[in-house]
Amino acid sequence: MSEKRIDDVTGTETTGHNWDGIEELNNPLPRWWLWTFYATVLFAVIYTIFFPAWPLVSGATQGVLGWSTRGEVARDIAQIDEGQQQYREGLLSVDVHMIRDNEELQNYAVQAGAALFRNNCSQCHGSGAAGAIGYPNLLDDDWLWGGRIEDIAHTIRHGIRNEEDPDARFSQMPAFGEMLTEGEIAGLARHVQSLPDGADPLSGPAGQLFADNCATCHGDDAQGDPEIGAPDLTDAIWLYGSDLASLEDTISRGPYGVMPPWGERLGEANVRALAAYVHQLGGGEAGEPRSETNVEEQIGEGDVPEGAGRTGGDPSDPDEVPFPEEASGTD
């Protein structure tokens, strides 16, 4: 049992605690420390009166001043949105392929699209838009569903093979592992691997397999079809890997990549800004517009006239102007 006593050396009462013969003195706290502590208690009481502080079931006390950092941020965002409203209206007032004809509008679209890309697309396509296995590279000139700016906008707006949007782009490669033997799949994989080197897609026994099972979608020349998302097999650009094991796996199981629709989440102005940004990264296709359809009709039909322009850009540049919305790109 601990006992308090007066220390013989200092004349100070002990706390009664003893560790290996060392006793703890019961010295009073420094006066400056006590006054500092009392001041912090007083400050806390005043703070809870004037500012949001105590959590409640569905919120918190608002304080008599009604101020919060969250509200301050919301006001700043609203102010920025107001300043950008003219550009948003500009994006909706012209056909998407004509955005590039207005230098100021194009610059806004690219800067806004860069922020949208970082927030929503970089997770799959990479911060530099170079993609990865199963996620298309947006910097090259190889496009599964077409690389014209209106094609890109449609893909962003509706997505690919998702169950949320009835206008999503859709195609499906069969799982040939259920139809062909392992030997046939191995031979077909070697044949496909040789196509970028100039091999005839229809030559030899493997060419016959190609003609019977693959040419319907990829074409007799193996150069694909962007209308159905069938990739070009002659350009040495491989979405799921170029080694034999990867090609055999692709042929056997028939990969089924999915991209969500972003049109409803982002809004049409942001979709167009993102399309303009992705298109100018370096691989977007140029083309003449199909028609001069009114922009409101395009939005309603989910189709935007064709056209393109390139200005260059870096999706990982931290100095690009921020944009308070979100989006995603696609190949």
Side-chain angles (χ1 to χ4, degrees):
M1 179 177 180
S2 61
E3 296 182 359
K4 298 180 181 181
R5 71 178 189 85
I6 301 300
D7 180 59
D8 295 334
V9 178
T10 62
T12 303
E13 183 183 37
T14 66
T15 63
H17 300 155
N18 185 304
W19 295 274
D20 296 330
I22 301 174
E23 294 182 293
E24 179 184 24
L25 300 179
N26 191 18
N27 286 313
L29 293 171
R31 190 175 298 275
W32 67 266
W33 191 96
L34 284 174
W35 282 112
T36 301
F37 174 72
Y38 296 148
T40 59
V41 172
L42 179 62
F43 173 81
V45 172
I46 295 174
Y47 186 95
T48 59
I49 294 174
F50 286 94
F51 299 98
W54 295 102
L56 302 175
V57 175
S58 59
T61 56
Q62 297 302 305
V64 297
L65 296 181
W67 180 92
S68 69
T69 54
R70 185 185 296 269
E72 190 73 11
V73 171
R75 284 189 289 272
D76 289 344
I77 292 177
Q79 184 177 3
I80 293 173
D81 283 343
E82 183 179 356
Q84 294 178 343
Q85 185 60 31
Q86 60 173 321
Y87 298 109
R88 293 173 183 272
E89 294 175 353
L91 287 174
L92 295 174
S93 65
V94 299
D95 291 338
V96 69
H97 69 278
M98 296 176 62
I99 293 174
R100 62 181 175 137
D101 295 336
N102 184 315
E103 183 178 355
E104 187 175 4
L105 187 60
Q106 170 73 358
N107 181 65
Y108 168 79
V110 170
Q111 301 301 324
L116 292 163
F117 184 93
R118 288 193 294 268
N119 287 340
N120 299 277
C121 316
S122 60
Q123 292 83 351
C124 292
H125 294 283
S127 60
I133 297 297
Y135 301 98
N137 183 349
L138 304 180
L139 303 177
D140 57 30
D141 58 0
D142 187 73
W143 298 87
L144 293 176
W145 299 94
R148 298 168 301 188
I149 190 170
E150 74 276 12
D151 296 329
I152 297 172
H154 181 92
T155 302
I156 295 171
R157 190 181 298 116
H158 301 293
I160 298 171
R161 303 186 192 92
N162 63 76
E163 299 180 357
E164 304 169 42
D165 193 316
D167 293 320
R169 296 189 184 279
F170 188 90
S171 66
Q172 182 171 357
M173 176 176 172
F176 287 102
E178 303 173 359
M179 310 174 196
L180 303 177
T181 66
E182 292 185 4
E184 290 174 327
I185 289 176
L188 188 56
R190 287 192 294 271
H191 180 66
V192 169
Q193 191 180 47
S194 70
L195 295 179
D197 297 327
D200 183 355
L202 305 181
S203 66
Q208 186 60 50
L209 280 174
F210 184 91
D212 294 340
N213 299 279
C214 314
T216 302
C217 293
H218 295 282
D220 290 340
D221 57 3
Q223 293 183 6
D225 183 357
E227 292 296 324
I228 58 174
D232 184 347
L233 303 179
T234 66
D235 57 9
I237 296 176
W238 306 94
L239 183 58
Y240 293 98
S242 60
D243 59 282
L244 280 176
S246 297
L247 291 174
E248 289 177 9
D249 180 67
T250 300
I251 296 170
S252 296
R253 65 183 180 87
Y256 192 83
V258 175
M259 173 180 166
W262 295 94
E264 184 175 348
R265 178 180 178 182
L266 300 177
E268 182 63 20
N270 287 340
V271 166
R272 290 171 174 232
L274 185 58
Y277 170 73
V278 172
H279 184 267
Q280 58 80 55
L281 285 176
E285 299 173 353
E288 294 300 323
R290 297 189 186 94
S291 66
E292 296 298 330
T293 308
N294 180 275
V295 68
E296 287 78 8
E297 296 175 355
Q298 296 165 2
I299 296 172
E301 297 173 3
D303 189 20
V304 183
E306 185 178 343
R310 303 179 184 178
T311 62
D314 183 359
S316 59
D317 184 359
D319 296 327
E320 290 181 327
V321 178
F323 188 70
E325 298 291 347
E326 306 172 299
S328 174
T330 184
D331 198 343

